[in-house]
């Protein structure tokens, strides 16, 4: 869960004072923080007319715990470890990687990193600046640091846990000592995380003297979500109602994009622009039946899933992932069916990964049939996991509704139509007024500026437009006076201009100061949002000089990289600096929360 801050009314400081305090103490080490606590105690308790001397502060060894999370899993593991260390009376400072003053990493003595991987082996967005610094020539010697890394990933991707591997390797290269070997955890990470946490606590108990309760002063650095959330979670979601399912691409579009409105009723579920909506979905009953028949099963066989016994068909529809194949599944299935083609793939990693990404489990079974018993089938596959969608509405405007923008995955393989697990469920099988289980995944790394006068640049092609619809609704409701600039792209103006009428109204009303549109297929030469950025480079730089916050949402592997390259070139050209200095400038923008990305 995202850590909750107490309501502002309960704090002895105003929000402005709290902001100045957090900014002021960001660069201090745990030892310096301890000294400051004694200093302020002395100031409060000084006698009239006396000069306060700083109270001596005991400098207990402290552990720095960095969380680098993309969807919240790494954050939850880090929070659990923090609680374990507190229980063991070990001082711990839990900090979000996006808030960590990365240049101080060389001062750390005990360093723990819980890090997730996104896309093709990329760092979680909040860890990018820290990772770049460690990989640079300015990285410090870390021979006085002892560390451990817990990596989260997904074996359906080629570069499994690559972000964790990068941190672990680089810290070792810089001379740091490993407290434990790195642990790489798949989607089912909880048992591995629990074991790692226990081992880390045991190791640190040997290295850090037990502190008294008074000395153990764990702190939490980084932004803290202040939304008063309801009790609904990923594990205990809200059952909500689909009220609207509207296709918002034209009839001739190659894309099927849906605008969905979900009624939260009187649940009290709260969210902010930038958050994501988690959707629990059900597999297609026809796909379930197809797999059952391909394996010569009946579907009524009793299997065990998560310590529960239930019929196979029910397990496959509600609890097992059927639309995403992975290399470990292929390896296990090849051993069972002994198919020559599958066995041959095992020696060719790129071909194996390509097969996993393009051939779903059902089609693999059809091409390489074998017999499995029901429990073998369930044990072979992975558990169903929810999908996250950027929220496309502001609760200030929609109140008890939450909106999302869904690009429906559709393709053919061997002449058979296939669709994505969650997107197919939402677009084709969930009826209006039907029930859907949802939860909010808070994202404090994608937030509007606290100052409503700051300019905002939003870059979101395709369904990456979703959070910016929420942003502009919020700015409208807040009466924010800061300028707003949208960069949007898609193949065709006529069929693919998502939320066209709304954006045109915002332009007419003056809320949207600039809108730059890139239609990649409406002319002979393809034009993308990064091309529009370069065209407007001088003005983009001027907005940055005025304190603009830049947001990017959408595809991580191509678009986000191309946009970042365009931004670096703009900064270098108009800021009159080389690309290396421009990259440092961009890292500072990240640290100041002025360059934020929600990429996938």
């Amino acid at each position: 869960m995202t850590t909750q801050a107490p309501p502002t009314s309960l704090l002895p400081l105003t929000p402005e004072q709290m902001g100045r305090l957090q900014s002021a103490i960001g660069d201090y080490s745990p030892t310096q923080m301890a000294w400051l606590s004694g200093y302020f105690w002395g100031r409060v308790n000084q006698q009239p007319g006396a000069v306060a001397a700083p109270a001596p502060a005991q400098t207990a060894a402290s552990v720095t715990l960095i969380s680098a999370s993309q969807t919240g899993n790494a954050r939850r593991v880090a929070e659990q470890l923090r609680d374990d260390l507190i229980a063991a009376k070990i001082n711990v400072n839990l900090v979000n990687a996006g808030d960590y003053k990365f240049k101080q990493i060389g001062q750390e003595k005990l360093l723990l990193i819980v890090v997730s991987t996104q896309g093709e082996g990329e760092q979680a967005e909040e860890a990018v600046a820290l990772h770049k610094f460690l990989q640079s020539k300015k990285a410090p010697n870390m021979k006085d640091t002892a560390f451990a890394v817990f990596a989260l990933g997904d074996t359906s991707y080629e570069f499994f846990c690559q972000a964790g591997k990068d941190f672990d390797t680089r810290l070792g290269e810089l001379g740091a000592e490993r407290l434990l070997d790195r642990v790489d955890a798949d989607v089912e990470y909880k048992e591995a995380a629990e074991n790692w946490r226990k081992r880390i606590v045991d190791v640190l108990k040997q290295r850090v003297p037990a502190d008294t309760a008074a000395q153990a002063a764990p702190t939490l650095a980084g932004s803290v979500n202040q939304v008063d959330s309801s009790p609904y979670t990923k594990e205990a979601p809200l059952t909500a109602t689909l009220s609207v399912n509207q296709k918002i691409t034209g009839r001739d579009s190659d894309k099927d994009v849906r605008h969905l409105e979900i009624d939260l009723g009187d649940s009290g579920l709260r969210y902010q622009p930038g958050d994501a909506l988690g959707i629990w979905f059900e597999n297609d009953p026809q796909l379930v039946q197809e797999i059952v028949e391909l394996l010569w099963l009946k579907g009524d066989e009793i299997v065990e899933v998560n310590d529960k016994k239930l019929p196979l068909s029910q397990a496959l529809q509600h609890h097992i992932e059927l639309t995403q194949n992975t290399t470990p599944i292929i390896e296990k299935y090849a051993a069972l069916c002994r198919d020559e083609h599958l066995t041959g793939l095992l020696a060719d990693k790129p071909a194996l990964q390509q097969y996993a990404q393009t051939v779903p489990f059902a089609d693999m079974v059809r091409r390489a049939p074998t017999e499995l018993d029901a429990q073998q089938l369930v044990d072979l596959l992975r558990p169903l996991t929810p999908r996250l969608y950027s929220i496309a509405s502001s609760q200030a405007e929609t109140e008890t509704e939450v909106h999302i923008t869904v690009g429906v995955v559709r393709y053919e393989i061997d002449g058979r139509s296939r669709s994505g697990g969650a997107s197919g469920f939402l677009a084709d099988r969930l009826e209006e007024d039907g029930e859907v289980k949802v939860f909010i995944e808070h994202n404090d790394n994608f937030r509007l500026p606290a100052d409503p006068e700051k300019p905002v640049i939003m870059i979101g092609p395709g369904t990456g437009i979703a959070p910016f619809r929420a942003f502009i609704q919020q700015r409208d409701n807040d009466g924010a006076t800061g300028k707003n600039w949208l960069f949007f792209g898609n193949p065709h103006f006529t069929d693919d201009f998502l939320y066209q009428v709304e954006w045109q109204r915002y332009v007419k009303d003056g809320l949207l100061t600039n809108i730059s549109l890139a239609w990649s297929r409406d002319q002979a030469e393809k034009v993308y949002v990064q091309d529009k950025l370069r065209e407007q480079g001088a003005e983009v730089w001027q907005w940055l000089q005025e304190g603009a916050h830049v947001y990017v949402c959408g595809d991580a592997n191509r678009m986000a990289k191309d946009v970042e390259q365009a931004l670096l070139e703009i900064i270098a050209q108009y800021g009159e600096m080389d690309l290396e200095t421009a990259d440092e400038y961009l890292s500072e923008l990240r640290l100041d929360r002025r360059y934020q990305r929600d990429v996938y």
Side-chain angles (χ1 to χ4, degrees):
M1 287 296 297
T2 305
T3 304
Q4 304 280 322
T8 305
S9 59
L10 299 181
L11 293 172
L13 304 177
T14 66
E16 292 76 15
Q17 288 173 323
M18 178 62 77
R20 290 198 299 271
L21 175 62
Q22 290 176 332
S23 176
I25 65 176
D27 288 315
Y28 292 119
S29 69
T31 300
Q32 292 169 322
M33 294 279 282
W35 184 91
L36 281 171
S37 69
Y39 171 75
F40 286 123
W41 183 91
R43 288 290 300 270
V44 170
N45 291 279
Q46 68 181 8
Q47 297 299 317
V51 177
Q58 292 175 309
T59 57
S62 180
V63 176
T64 294
L65 171 55
I66 297 177
S67 162
S69 191
Q70 190 67 24
T71 62
N73 291 335
R75 182 69 176 184
R76 281 184 276 268
V77 171
E79 288 173 346
Q80 290 166 344
L81 177 56
R82 173 201 60 195
D83 295 344
D84 294 341
L85 292 169
I86 292 171
K89 297 183 178 179
I90 297 173
N91 277 342
V92 57
N93 179 37
L94 170 58
V95 58
N96 177 326
D99 294 305
Y100 183 72
K101 306 297 184 183
F102 52 83
K103 293 180 181 178
Q104 76 179 36
I105 195 165
Q107 303 170 27
E108 305 293 356
K109 302 303 180 188
L110 296 170
L111 177 66
L112 307 178
I113 300 180
V114 183
V115 56
S116 64
T117 299
Q118 66 160 332
E120 300 304 315
E122 303 293 330
Q123 292 291 329
E125 185 56 30
E126 59 191 32
V128 171
L130 172 60
H131 178 257
K132 281 188 173 183
F133 177 70
L134 284 176
Q135 297 294 336
S136 74
K137 297 175 183 177
K138 297 182 179 180
N141 184 304
M142 298 190 64
K143 61 181 178 58
D144 295 328
T145 304
F147 76 98
V149 174
F150 185 82
L152 292 98
D154 183 337
T155 49
S156 63
Y157 292 91
E158 180 177 359
F159 299 101
F160 173 60
C161 284
Q162 189 62 47
K165 293 173 182 176
D166 286 351
F167 270 118
D168 183 70
T169 300
R170 185 57 175 158
L171 289 170
E173 289 172 349
L174 294 171
E177 169 199 356
R178 285 182 181 81
L179 291 164
L180 288 176
D181 288 340
R182 185 191 71 251
V183 172
D184 298 335
D186 198 1
V187 172
E188 298 176 79
Y189 65 87
K190 291 184 179 179
E191 184 177 348
E194 186 175 343
N195 291 335
W196 181 76
R197 284 165 31 215
K198 288 179 179 176
R199 292 170 61 204
I200 278 293
V201 171
D202 289 342
V203 168
L204 290 175
K205 279 181 179 178
Q206 303 302 314
R207 298 185 67 119
V208 181
D211 299 318
T212 65
Q215 287 175 306
T219 57
L220 173 62
S223 59
V224 180
N225 196 293
Q226 297 194 30
V227 171
D228 294 322
S229 184
S230 69
Y232 303 105
T233 64
K234 176 181 176 181
E235 293 73 24
L238 167 70
T239 300
T241 304
L242 176 69
S243 53
V244 173
N245 176 351
Q246 178 184 3
K247 187 178 179 183
I248 56 174
T249 41
R251 68 177 64 182
D252 295 325
S253 175
D254 293 332
K255 300 182 177 184
D256 180 356
V257 178
R258 305 297 177 100
H259 169 74
L260 302 181
E261 299 181 3
I262 295 170
D263 185 0
L264 304 173
D266 59 359
S267 66
L269 198 66
R270 306 296 300 168
Y271 61 87
Q272 292 185 74
D275 287 341
L277 185 72
I279 300 278
W280 283 102
F281 64 96
E282 299 176 5
N283 284 310
D284 186 346
Q286 293 184 359
L287 178 61
V288 170
Q289 187 61 28
E290 179 183 349
I291 291 173
V292 167
E293 291 176 355
L294 283 170
L295 293 166
W296 295 286
L297 297 166
K298 297 179 180 179
D300 59 359
E301 297 89 346
I302 300 300
V303 295
E304 186 172 318
V305 179
N306 297 329
D307 299 324
K308 294 181 181 178
K309 296 185 182 297
L310 63 164
L312 174 63
S313 291
Q314 186 178 336
L316 294 178
Q317 186 170 345
H318 299 282
H319 301 284
I320 302 298
E321 177 63 68
L322 298 182
T323 57
Q324 292 184 342
N325 207 350
T326 69
T327 54
I329 290 174
I330 298 170
E331 290 168 356
K332 293 173 187 174
Y333 187 75
L336 293 168
C337 72
R338 302 180 186 278
D339 177 80
E340 288 186 9
H341 178 66
L342 291 183
T343 303
L345 285 176
L346 303 185
D348 187 344
K349 188 175 179 180
L352 178 63
Q353 189 63 38
Q354 176 69 12
Y355 189 92
Q357 292 174 348
T358 56
V359 182
F361 179 75
D363 297 281
M364 178 174 71
V365 173
R366 188 179 295 280
R367 293 178 179 182
T370 193
E371 288 190 47
L372 299 179
D373 65 43
Q375 192 63 50
Q376 271 184 309
L377 171 60
V378 167
D379 292 343
L380 178 66
L381 300 173
R382 304 196 305 171
L384 194 70
T385 54
R387 304 293 193 262
L388 297 179
Y389 293 95
S390 299
I391 291 176
S393 57
S394 162
Q395 207 156 20
E397 182 159 319
T398 61
E399 298 181 347
T400 61
E401 292 180 349
V402 59
H403 301 173
I404 56 175
T405 310
V406 178
V408 188
V409 177
R410 300 193 191 281
Y411 60 101
E412 279 197 2
I413 181 167
D414 298 341
R416 292 178 176 80
S417 297
R418 299 295 188 200
S419 62
S423 64
F425 167 75
L426 292 169
D428 304 331
R429 301 192 297 280
L430 181 63
E431 303 281 347
E432 289 189 353
D433 297 324
E435 293 183 343
V436 57
K437 290 182 171 59
V438 303
F439 60 95
I440 302 299
E441 190 65 62
H442 296 298
N443 183 3
D444 291 325
N445 298 306
F446 205 71
R447 291 283 186 248
L448 280 166
D451 183 351
E453 296 182 0
K454 293 295 184 184
V456 165
I457 299 173
M458 302 168 285
I459 306 164
T463 56
I465 196 72
F468 303 133
R469 183 174 182 265
F471 275 22
I472 207 74
Q473 286 181 3
Q474 187 70 45
R475 298 272 274 187
D476 192 19
N477 276 269
D478 290 346
T481 56
K483 297 184 294 184
N484 300 292
W485 189 348
L486 174 69
F487 287 84
F488 174 72
N490 238 349
H492 301 286
F493 168 79
T494 305
D495 292 300
D496 302 311
F497 194 169
L498 307 184
Y499 303 111
Q500 176 182 355
V501 173
E502 294 180 25
W503 293 117
Q504 289 175 332
R505 184 181 76 246
Y506 288 130
V507 171
K508 182 179 179 182
D509 293 346
L511 182 63
L512 194 57
T513 314
N514 291 352
I515 185 167
S516 298
L517 304 171
W519 308 113
S520 61
R521 303 298 192 274
D522 276 351
Q523 61 286 312
E525 184 179 350
K526 294 178 181 178
V527 178
Y528 298 105
V529 287
Q530 58 267 26
D531 300 315
K532 291 294 180 179
L533 275 168
R534 289 188 178 94
E535 283 180 17
Q536 306 289 334
E539 190 172 359
V540 169
W541 175 249
Q542 182 59 43
W543 280 46
L544 287 175
Q545 295 300 99
E546 294 170 6
H549 289 231
V550 181
Y551 302 87
V552 181
C553 182
D555 172 60
N557 296 324
R558 296 182 299 276
M559 181 278 298
K561 292 178 181 178
D562 292 339
V563 164
E564 182 155 312
Q565 183 60 36
L567 287 172
L568 286 171
E569 292 171 11
I570 289 168
I571 292 166
Q573 179 180 350
Y574 296 98
E576 298 181 346
M577 57 187 85
D578 58 34
L579 281 175
E580 184 177 350
T581 308
D583 197 31
E584 292 179 6
Y585 179 95
L586 206 55
S587 288
E588 291 299 328
L589 288 186
R590 287 183 195 271
L591 201 57
D592 293 339
R593 301 284 177 166
R594 287 182 52 205
Y595 177 44
Q596 300 182 43
R597 306 194 309 173
D598 180 12
V599 296
Y600 39 83

